[in-house]
Amino acid sequence: MGISPYSSGVCVCVCVCLQAMGRLDGKVVVLSAAAQGIGRAAAIAFAKEGAQVIATDINAEKLKELDGHAGIKTRAVDVTKRDQVEALAKDLDEVDVLFNVAGYVHHGSILATDEKDWDVTMNVNVRSMFLMIKAFLPKMLAKKSGNIINMASVASSIKGVVDRCAYSTSKAAVIGLTKSVAADFVDQGIRCNCVCPGTVDTPSLRERIQARPNPEQALKDFLARQKTGRMCTPEEVAHLCVYLASDESAYVTGREHIIDGGWSL
Ligand code: NAD
């Protein structure tokens, strides 16, 4: 009796082969803010899909928790420091994907925002991406292939959010930076997209809730604005980032990718 191509033995073999193929096999991915929250979830998701991940963060101690994770190498980098960013780029021969994640949330309307708050926010949220892209883009252009993903937010040009003046302005700038880079280099093999989450349950969000005068009420308020009745998980954002980092999104560039459970509807 001949073996049918649909026999269970062949099926098992095909399934095993498919499982072994990662969507990011052979890609080198560099990302910032990988010690916790969305950056950490993305680093793990990228590695699970076969990427070689260079996970960076200013918090060297916390970043160490990723040491020994298959496919991940760690390095302490403050992305607001040009010398550190340039040294990182110099040490890496080839980078396929750059994911700029680092960001800082300042609370307050324009009247509750002083110049220092404004400058810190712009420095961490926007100038850091300017430095990282300037450091890594020449390498990508040299091989006519590169993929940049920037972390923006729904709190930006997409949606006005109470008490997020400096933060939202900085994230609108990230969207502008993304479109600018995408437009300038689309004909040279470079893609640039940004991710715009709504409310994601990360350590810093929990800290911000705890810092409120009434944390219980603050949590209720955060949940009340979610049409889904729950916050997004870092892993859900990471799934979107895997898509953007992979060749499945090869025709996607210059866009803001909203993942907010309908908050901005
Ligand atoms: P988080 O605040 O939990 O972690 C941020 C990480 O960034 C920390 O590990 C910190 O050490 C690192 N970091 C801070 N400054 C740095 C610097 N100068 N250089 C290098 N690393 C630095 O992170 P999160 O809540 O997952 O947010 C990550 C990104 O996603 C931020 O850009 C944030 O604005 C954006 N975002 C978050 C949410 C949310 O609800 N959590 C929503 C939309 C967008």
Side-chain angles (χ1 to χ4, degrees), residues 32-40 56-60 62 77-81 84 100-105 123-125 128-129 151-155 167 171 195-205 207-208 222 225 231-232 234 237 263:
S32 63
Q36 64 179 32
I38 299 168
R40 179 185 159 86
T56 73
D57 200 288
I58 196 173
N59 187 342
K62 187 97 186 113
V77 176
D78 177 345
V79 284
T80 66
K81 301 277 189 287
Q84 294 186 27
N100 292 309
V101 187
Y104 161 74
V105 184
N123 195 28
V124 177
N125 296 5
S128 66
M129 296 193 189
M151 180 57 76
S153 172
V154 156
Y167 180 75
K171 292 301 189 181
V195 179
C196 302
T199 312
V200 190
D201 196 353
T202 62
S204 71
L205 181 83
E207 276 166 27
R208 281 183 276 131
F222 266 115
R225 73 184 196 184
M231 290 186 252
C232 187
V237 182
W263 185 32

Side-chain angles (χ1 to χ4, degrees), residues 209-223:
I209 289 171
Q210 282 309 315
R212 296 285 178 85
N214 183 346
E216 210 175 310
Q217 187 57 46
L219 177 60
K220 276 190 192 148
D221 292 344
F222 266 115
L223 287 172

Side-chain angles (χ1 to χ4, degrees), residues 199 222-233 236 260-261:
T199 312
F222 266 115
L223 287 172
R225 73 184 196 184
Q226 310 305 313
K227 290 173 177 144
T228 51
R230 69 169 179 88
M231 290 186 252
C232 187
T233 67
E236 285 173 315
D260 71 346

Side-chain angles (χ1 to χ4, degrees), residues 71-83:
I72 300 182
K73 285 187 181 150
T74 61
R75 172 157 167 167
V77 176
D78 177 345
V79 284
T80 66
K81 301 277 189 287
R82 182 162 55 85
D83 56 341

Side-chain angles (χ1 to χ4, degrees), residues 18-156:
L18 284 176
Q19 274 172 10
M21 281 168 50
R23 292 152 79 197
L24 302 177
D25 275 351
K27 291 196 190 296
V28 176
V29 182
V30 176
L31 79 160
S32 63
Q36 64 179 32
I38 299 168
R40 179 185 159 86
I44 291 169
F46 291 152
K48 198 172 159 198
E49 290 292 341
Q52 295 171 53
V53 179
I54 319 297
T56 73
D57 200 288
I58 196 173
N59 187 342
E61 271 308 299
K62 187 97 186 113
L63 189 63
K64 276 190 194 149
E65 291 172 17
L66 284 175
D67 282 344
H69 199 292
I72 300 182
K73 285 187 181 150
T74 61
R75 172 157 167 167
V77 176
D78 177 345
V79 284
T80 66
K81 301 277 189 287
R82 182 162 55 85
D83 56 341
Q84 294 186 27
V85 167
E86 287 179 351
L88 174 70
K90 195 164 167 251
D91 287 350
L92 299 172
D93 291 335
E94 283 203 4
V95 171
D96 299 291
V97 181
L98 168 64
F99 185 18
N100 292 309
V101 187
Y104 161 74
V105 184
H106 175 264
H107 288 228
S109 71
I110 190 166
L111 297 179
T113 305
D114 62 26
E115 280 180 60
K116 187 166 168 278
D117 302 326
W118 182 268
D119 289 347
V120 167
T121 301
M122 293 301 165
N123 195 28
V124 177
N125 296 5
V126 190
R127 186 173 157 278
S128 66
M129 296 193 189
F130 166 77
L131 293 177
M132 289 285 271
I133 295 171
K134 271 179 82 86
F136 283 93
L137 186 56
K139 281 175 192 284
M140 293 176 167
L141 288 171
K143 59 174 191 163
K144 294 188 167 38
S145 170
N147 184 355
I148 299 164
I149 308 167
N150 297 320
M151 180 57 76
S153 172
V154 156
S156 58

